[in-house]
Amino acid sequence: MLAIIPKPAKLTLLSGCFTLNKQTYLKVDPSNAELIQLTNFLNLTFSNALGYQLNLNNVSSLSKKNNIIQFVLEESSELQGDESYYLEIKPEAILVKARKINGLFYGLMTLRQLLPVEIESKKIIANIEWKIPCLQCEDKPRFSWRGMHLDVSRHFFSVDFIKKYLDLLAMYKFNVFHWHLVDDGGWRIEIEKYPLLTDLTAYRLDNMEVWHPRHLSFQQKDCAQALHGGFYTKQQIVEIIDYAKARHIRVIPEIEMPGHSQAALFAYPQYQCAGAAQSLTEPYLYNHQNVYCLGKKETYHFLKNILDEVFELFPESIVHIGADEVDQRFWNNCPDCANFMKQHQLRNGDDLQSQFVHEMDAFLSQNNKTLMAWDDILLGGHDSPTNATIMSWRGEQWAAKAAKSKNYTVTCPAWQCYFDYSYRAVPLENVYNYDPVPAELNEAEAKYILGVQGNVWTEFMTSESQVEYMALPRMLAVSEVVWTQVENKNLDDFMQRLTISSTRLTLAEYCYCPLELISEKNLTA
Ligand code: ACM
Ligand code: ZN
């Protein structure tokens, strides 16, 4: 059985096989750097199991017609879209064709899943014939935003793990990594202008409750091993962006404001509201009550200075500013906020939040960036900025509202796409059967739905294997929600392919939830 996930648009199985061996040549235009990078990626991915690298064509071998894998960029291809590809496997040759390099990359990812599962092994597999069934496949994604999110604030994850996570995204044709870098649990991105952000909040005692400033840990050596945390230097962030780029994954940074700012305000309490200091004697990880004071102009300078460094670092045009779950109580008791609201004729906290988001939207636009925020910015009957891309987590009516107001929208409703929820709360079927386009949208409105992502919040995930266990295999169901045409989706068929794919995951050294524990049927029995 072919077990390709996500299921391709059109596939015809033919008789015979191609056999990959030491003599197989990779044939590409040697003058094209993107194609050379693709062949390097192929060798990187396959050579552990093969025990050798495939030869890249040179001028003398360009005429070779047998035992080749050929990658061709072809503008005139009838395939539509930058991410589509055509794959043809014959006994003597494999051809992958696409208009753009992304398409060729997805063709390669399909080829990967057509090889025996042992190709994922980190160790050489001897005594195996690397046979690939003959077929023709035309494929393209349903949505352009196919994302996975990771919260690295509540718990920190190493650069190596981020790369392992990106490898997983690439395998299943995801093209967005939403990096939740900042939250109440710690600030994880180096900001040169404000070093205390990371100095004071990147490490905390591992009781999950209280931050432990790094400099204190040096005085109290006996509890050093109990510290949890870390942050990414600018150099590491560039390294990760490059790693993602080689896998055709965009990296969207999220810098939370004006709420979920407990960590930042622990480091720089001057930007909180008058009267809020009291709460900072208890900087709990789960407490998301503290908010930036929006009545002080210094707060705006602080946030814009941070964003300037973020813009410089991330080539991505979209920057996510969070803006969810803002506790407005501090604003309501703050003289600075009261003055500001009076001055700008704002009636309440919703108006203040809305004014803030508009201000940030204008700032991002001036910097040629697009603001993204959670669907909370649609609260209170205020217009969301027309430039904003909305990330809808609170359910279908908010996705519909955003799309109707012509805001591009990515959906990740909690009961289908939150992988911090248990498998009992969000069983695999919920994820697989989810369709992100609300029925009430007409065709023009539906175009504003860009796609879907799975979210991995880590309040209760302390280890890398826990992240993998919660994300896998549910993220494979997301891959099929966002890639596969609706008419090709079938849960039973998916489950069969998943059984085979799970062996791939084991060989690739990912941890996942056992398949007997992911399904509604079994969990309710
Ligand atoms: C969220 O879950 N607060 C976006
Ligand atoms: Zn205030």
Side-chain angles (χ1 to χ4, degrees), residues 272-274 293-295 330-331 334 336-337:
Q272 67 189 344
C273 288
C293 176
L294 300 188
F330 292 111
W331 295 343
C334 170
D336 291 323
C337 285

PDB file of all heavy atoms in Angstrom, residues 272-274 293-295 330-331 334 336-337, ligand 2:
ATOM      1  N   GLN A 272       4.708  49.049  33.067  1.00  0.00           N
ATOM      2  CA  GLN A 272       3.398  48.551  33.503  1.00  0.00           C
ATOM      3  C   GLN A 272       2.593  49.708  34.106  1.00  0.00           C
ATOM      4  O   GLN A 272       3.112  50.805  34.323  1.00  0.00           O
ATOM      5  CB  GLN A 272       3.564  47.421  34.506  1.00  0.00           C
ATOM      6  CG  GLN A 272       4.177  47.865  35.824  1.00  0.00           C
ATOM      7  CD  GLN A 272       4.536  46.699  36.718  1.00  0.00           C
ATOM      8  OE1 GLN A 272       4.075  45.601  36.507  1.00  0.00           O
ATOM      9  NE2 GLN A 272       5.367  46.947  37.703  1.00  0.00           N
ATOM     10  N   CYS A 273       1.336  49.455  34.353  1.00  0.00           N
ATOM     11  CA  CYS A 273       0.460  50.487  34.896  1.00  0.00           C
ATOM     12  C   CYS A 273       0.797  50.772  36.366  1.00  0.00           C
ATOM     13  O   CYS A 273       1.289  49.885  37.073  1.00  0.00           O
ATOM     14  CB  CYS A 273      -0.995  50.047  34.806  1.00  0.00           C
ATOM     15  SG  CYS A 273      -1.621  50.053  33.128  1.00  0.00           S
ATOM     16  N   ALA A 274       0.484  51.982  36.787  1.00  0.00           N
ATOM     17  CA  ALA A 274       0.609  52.320  38.200  1.00  0.00           C
ATOM     18  C   ALA A 274      -0.255  51.336  38.985  1.00  0.00           C
ATOM     19  O   ALA A 274      -1.364  51.001  38.567  1.00  0.00           O
ATOM     20  CB  ALA A 274       0.121  53.747  38.427  1.00  0.00           C
ATOM     21  N   CYS A 293       1.356  49.161  30.131  1.00  0.00           N
ATOM     22  CA  CYS A 293       0.587  50.392  30.298  1.00  0.00           C
ATOM     23  C   CYS A 293       0.545  51.107  28.949  1.00  0.00           C
ATOM     24  O   CYS A 293       1.587  51.481  28.409  1.00  0.00           O
ATOM     25  CB  CYS A 293       1.235  51.298  31.347  1.00  0.00           C
ATOM     26  SG  CYS A 293       0.362  52.871  31.484  1.00  0.00           S
ATOM     27  N   LEU A 294      -0.649  51.274  28.433  1.00  0.00           N
ATOM     28  CA  LEU A 294      -0.781  51.923  27.120  1.00  0.00           C
ATOM     29  C   LEU A 294      -1.008  53.420  27.253  1.00  0.00           C
ATOM     30  O   LEU A 294      -1.261  54.115  26.271  1.00  0.00           O
ATOM     31  CB  LEU A 294      -1.907  51.269  26.317  1.00  0.00           C
ATOM     32  CG  LEU A 294      -1.719  49.774  26.039  1.00  0.00           C
ATOM     33  CD1 LEU A 294      -2.785  49.260  25.086  1.00  0.00           C
ATOM     34  CD2 LEU A 294      -0.327  49.494  25.464  1.00  0.00           C
ATOM     35  N   GLY A 295      -0.934  53.932  28.497  1.00  0.00           N
ATOM     36  CA  GLY A 295      -1.092  55.380  28.710  1.00  0.00           C
ATOM     37  C   GLY A 295       0.240  56.119  28.683  1.00  0.00           C
ATOM     38  O   GLY A 295       0.258  57.346  28.730  1.00  0.00           O
ATOM     39  N   PHE A 330      -5.863  46.401  34.878  1.00  0.00           N
ATOM     40  CA  PHE A 330      -4.806  47.366  35.236  1.00  0.00           C
ATOM     41  C   PHE A 330      -5.031  48.705  34.535  1.00  0.00           C
ATOM     42  O   PHE A 330      -4.805  49.763  35.113  1.00  0.00           O
ATOM     43  CB  PHE A 330      -3.425  46.799  34.887  1.00  0.00           C
ATOM     44  CG  PHE A 330      -3.052  45.627  35.742  1.00  0.00           C
ATOM     45  CD1 PHE A 330      -2.975  44.357  35.216  1.00  0.00           C
ATOM     46  CD2 PHE A 330      -2.788  45.801  37.101  1.00  0.00           C
ATOM     47  CE1 PHE A 330      -2.636  43.273  36.009  1.00  0.00           C
ATOM     48  CE2 PHE A 330      -2.448  44.718  37.906  1.00  0.00           C
ATOM     49  CZ  PHE A 330      -2.380  43.445  37.356  1.00  0.00           C
ATOM     50  N   TRP A 331      -5.462  48.643  33.286  1.00  0.00           N
ATOM     51  CA  TRP A 331      -5.740  49.888  32.542  1.00  0.00           C
ATOM     52  C   TRP A 331      -6.844  50.686  33.239  1.00  0.00           C
ATOM     53  O   TRP A 331      -6.773  51.904  33.336  1.00  0.00           O
ATOM     54  CB  TRP A 331      -6.200  49.581  31.110  1.00  0.00           C
ATOM     55  CG  TRP A 331      -5.175  48.915  30.236  1.00  0.00           C
ATOM     56  CD1 TRP A 331      -3.828  48.851  30.453  1.00  0.00           C
ATOM     57  CD2 TRP A 331      -5.421  48.224  28.998  1.00  0.00           C
ATOM     58  NE1 TRP A 331      -3.209  48.168  29.432  1.00  0.00           N
ATOM     59  CE2 TRP A 331      -4.157  47.776  28.527  1.00  0.00           C
ATOM     60  CE3 TRP A 331      -6.556  47.945  28.236  1.00  0.00           C
ATOM     61  CZ2 TRP A 331      -4.029  47.068  27.326  1.00  0.00           C
ATOM     62  CZ3 TRP A 331      -6.426  47.253  27.050  1.00  0.00           C
ATOM     63  CH2 TRP A 331      -5.179  46.804  26.603  1.00  0.00           C
ATOM     64  N   CYS A 334      -5.560  52.817  36.180  1.00  0.00           N
ATOM     65  CA  CYS A 334      -4.293  53.521  35.973  1.00  0.00           C
ATOM     66  C   CYS A 334      -4.538  54.962  35.530  1.00  0.00           C
ATOM     67  O   CYS A 334      -5.223  55.188  34.521  1.00  0.00           O
ATOM     68  CB  CYS A 334      -3.488  52.767  34.912  1.00  0.00           C
ATOM     69  SG  CYS A 334      -2.046  53.647  34.336  1.00  0.00           S
ATOM     70  N   ASP A 336      -2.466  57.031  34.130  1.00  0.00           N
ATOM     71  CA  ASP A 336      -1.885  57.287  32.801  1.00  0.00           C
ATOM     72  C   ASP A 336      -2.814  56.786  31.698  1.00  0.00           C
ATOM     73  O   ASP A 336      -3.030  57.445  30.690  1.00  0.00           O
ATOM     74  CB  ASP A 336      -0.518  56.593  32.670  1.00  0.00           C
ATOM     75  CG  ASP A 336       0.531  57.233  33.548  1.00  0.00           C
ATOM     76  OD1 ASP A 336       0.511  58.474  33.686  1.00  0.00           O
ATOM     77  OD2 ASP A 336       1.354  56.493  34.127  1.00  0.00           O
ATOM     78  N   CYS A 337      -3.345  55.589  31.919  1.00  0.00           N
ATOM     79  CA  CYS A 337      -4.264  55.040  30.913  1.00  0.00           C
ATOM     80  C   CYS A 337      -5.539  55.883  30.849  1.00  0.00           C
ATOM     81  O   CYS A 337      -6.067  56.147  29.754  1.00  0.00           O
ATOM     82  CB  CYS A 337      -4.599  53.583  31.217  1.00  0.00           C
ATOM     83  SG  CYS A 337      -3.227  52.462  30.820  1.00  0.00           S
TER      84      CYS A 337
HETATM   85 ZN    ZN B   2      -1.611  52.311  32.433  1.00  0.00          ZN
END
